[in-house]
Amino acid sequence: MSAAVRVTDVSDPSVKEMVLLSLAGELDYTNAERFRHDLHQAIGQDRGDLVIDLTDLTFCDSTGIQEFLNTRKIVQDRGGSIALANPHPRLKRILHLTGLAQAFGIQPTVADAVKALRPQQSAPDIHGG
């Protein structure tokens, strides 16, 4: 049994028109529908750019990657951009091998992801250090 993925909104009011989400657990076919629901709740209807912190996402299968692609399309259709921060080495390798790393703007940290999307804004330190 996998540890279902949890979506946590860690947005900071100092980072305007940007949603910061943190994922934890495992994202696979068994929980993709719930992930999709939680993600859509978090990003709402009118929110801008999206940064997803993958530090605590321990597993992601092809269904999870498809959910990231679907999310990217939603965000882009609204005029926003998406960046993924700190994926585990295996997921990072898959994203690079499939050519998706560029599409998602993979960054080593949340701060780097925020800076990549909005160079004029500084990112909050969501991990306290």
Side-chain angles (χ1 to χ4, degrees):
M1 175 120 176
S2 66
V5 68
R6 292 179 312 282
V7 177
T8 304
D9 189 335
V10 292
S11 296
D12 186 294
S14 69
V15 185
K16 307 234 185 292
E17 297 177 17
M18 183 178 293
V19 180
L20 303 175
L21 299 179
S22 178
L23 302 187
E26 298 180 2
L27 176 55
D28 60 26
Y29 72 95
T30 66
N31 57 34
E33 187 174 325
R34 180 66 194 187
F35 168 73
R36 185 179 319 116
H37 174 267
D38 292 349
L39 187 73
H40 288 272
Q41 289 290 106
I43 64 174
Q45 295 299 314
D46 300 315
R47 297 177 84 175
D49 294 335
L50 174 64
V51 171
I52 303 177
D53 180 5
L54 302 176
T55 301
D56 296 321
L57 185 70
T58 57
F59 178 80
C60 181
D61 70 1
S62 61
T63 306
I65 291 171
Q66 183 62 50
E67 289 303 323
F68 288 141
L69 287 168
N70 294 339
T71 301
R72 178 178 176 263
K73 179 168 179 10
I74 291 167
V75 170
Q76 287 183 329
D77 286 350
R78 295 178 185 174
S81 297
I82 186 171
L84 303 178
N86 197 25
H88 278 261
R90 183 175 178 188
L91 177 56
K92 184 176 179 180
R93 182 170 187 264
I94 290 169
L95 292 170
H96 280 284
L97 288 173
T98 59
L100 294 174
Q102 274 190 301
F104 286 109
I106 305 295
Q107 298 295 327
T109 67
V110 170
D112 289 330
V114 169
K115 189 173 181 178
L117 295 180
R118 302 277 178 86
Q120 71 279 13
Q121 293 186 357
S122 61
D125 182 3
I126 65 167
H127 292 292

